[in-house]
Amino acid sequence: MKTNFLKKALPIGVGMMAVAFAFATENKSSNEDKLITGYIFNSLNEKCESVPQECNNIGDVPCTYMGASGPQIYQNDNGTFCSVPLTHRP
């Protein structure tokens, strides 16, 4: 009697566990994971200029251009304002 129950119930239980683990380990993409093109404000022409540095906006570390002592990188609001500071976690 026990063996008949195990022969039928065990594959169903294993299949249910596999489905549950598949959903539990599903990769959830969020807006924070995406790389954002960074901008710095150029005071000579008073415009935001894109820099070849992308920030993922995760964490508390400021995203800077050309190393930690470089200028803070911002998100471009409308072409003339760079007011939202970006962060980066490698």
Side-chain angles (χ1 to χ4, degrees):
M1 184 73 177
K2 276 187 177 179
T3 58
N4 285 340
F5 175 74
L6 288 177
K7 285 182 182 179
K8 293 179 183 178
L10 191 60
I12 294 172
V14 170
M16 290 174 59
M17 285 177 53
V19 170
F21 286 131
F23 283 111
T25 60
E26 181 180 340
N27 187 9
K28 295 182 174 116
S29 178
S30 69
N31 289 339
E32 292 181 348
D33 294 341
K34 296 179 184 173
L35 293 176
I36 301 169
T37 301
Y39 293 84
I40 57 173
F41 185 75
N42 185 342
S43 58
L44 297 176
N45 61 7
E46 296 186 357
K47 290 186 179 179
C48 292
E49 294 182 350
S50 66
V51 292
Q53 172 89 22
E54 292 184 328
C55 308
N56 57 14
N57 219 20
I58 298 175
D60 297 329
V61 179
C63 189
T64 57
Y65 181 58
M66 310 264 291
S69 62
Q72 170 75 44
I73 296 177
Y74 297 92
Q75 185 173 356
N76 188 355
D77 293 341
N78 64 3
T80 57
F81 296 108
C82 302
S83 60
V84 180
L86 295 175
T87 58
H88 187 72
R89 183 179 72 196

